[in-house]
């Protein structure tokens, strides 16, 4: 990837703000709308699926992956930004966090019971 590549730019930009973003989502005001939506999603997944994991796609520093796990839904995270993934792994070394892109997700099959992509689908322009 080059710096003119939209993915490379996105990765670079989120790497730069990873610590600030982590501080904001963990210590800022609770996002009641997001919590409500993700609670509904997690409840549905729990009711419909008896195995598998939720893939948190574009997981950032992993706070929603952590939240899903505490809610009782197995979850793993993938993100483009190594800086974000470092933070996620630091908080929850027991969960799986991988560097990767939504444009080429690994093995989304029957082992995945749902995908949470919260604020991570970014339309790219040429
Ligand atoms: C605004 S943050 C949202 C993080 C988290 N999902 C949340 O709800 O707070 C967007 C995240 O999406 C990631 N991201 C953006 N484009 C991506 C892509 N193509 N593949 C994987 N992650 C991507 C960024 O690295 C960043 O961590």
């Amino acid at each position: 990837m080059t710096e003119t590549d939209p993915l490379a730019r996105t990765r670079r930009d989120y790497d730069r703000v990873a610590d600030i973003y982590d501080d904001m989502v963990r210590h800022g005001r609770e996002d009641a709308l997001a919590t409500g939506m993700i609670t509904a999603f997690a409840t549905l997944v729990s009711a419909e699926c008896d195995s598998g994991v939720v893939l948190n796609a574009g997981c950032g520093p992993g706070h929603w992956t952590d939240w899903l796990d505490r809610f009782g839904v197995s979850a793993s995270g993938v993100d483009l930004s190594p800086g974000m993934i470092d933070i996620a792994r630091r908080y929850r070394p027991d969960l799986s966090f991988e560097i990767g892109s939504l444009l080429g997700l690994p093995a989304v099959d029957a082992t995945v019971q749902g995908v949470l992509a919260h604020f991570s689908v970014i339309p790219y322009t040429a």
Side-chain angles (χ1 to χ4, degrees):
M1 284 193 287
T2 67
E3 284 303 296
T4 55
D5 181 324
L7 281 183
R9 284 202 313 268
T10 301
R11 182 177 60 185
R12 178 200 63 199
D13 291 347
Y14 275 107
D15 267 348
R16 284 181 178 161
V17 300
D19 285 321
I20 295 168
Y21 191 85
D22 176 54
D23 190 51
M24 183 183 79
V25 295
R26 284 183 208 273
H27 304 118
R29 271 182 35 197
E30 186 191 339
D31 183 342
L33 178 61
T35 303
M37 287 191 307
I38 296 171
T39 299
F41 167 74
T43 303
L44 190 64
V45 166
S46 298
E48 296 292 326
C49 310
D50 47 19
S51 66
V53 297
V54 163
L55 182 64
N56 188 4
C59 63
H63 53 297
W64 287 118
T65 323
D66 172 44
W67 187 96
L68 286 166
D69 180 72
R70 291 174 194 276
F71 190 84
V73 172
S74 299
S76 62
V78 62
D79 199 282
L80 200 55
S81 155
M84 292 286 193
I85 290 295
D86 278 351
I87 294 169
R89 286 176 176 158
R90 205 160 60 227
Y91 276 105
R92 288 298 306 265
D94 55 321
L95 299 183
S96 167
F97 290 102
E98 299 298 331
I99 299 165
S101 172
L102 273 69
L103 301 182
L105 288 175
V108 175
D109 56 19
T111 62
V112 174
Q113 58 182 344
V115 176
L116 173 67
H118 181 253
F119 281 138
S120 56
V121 176
I122 300 172
Y124 296 113
T125 52

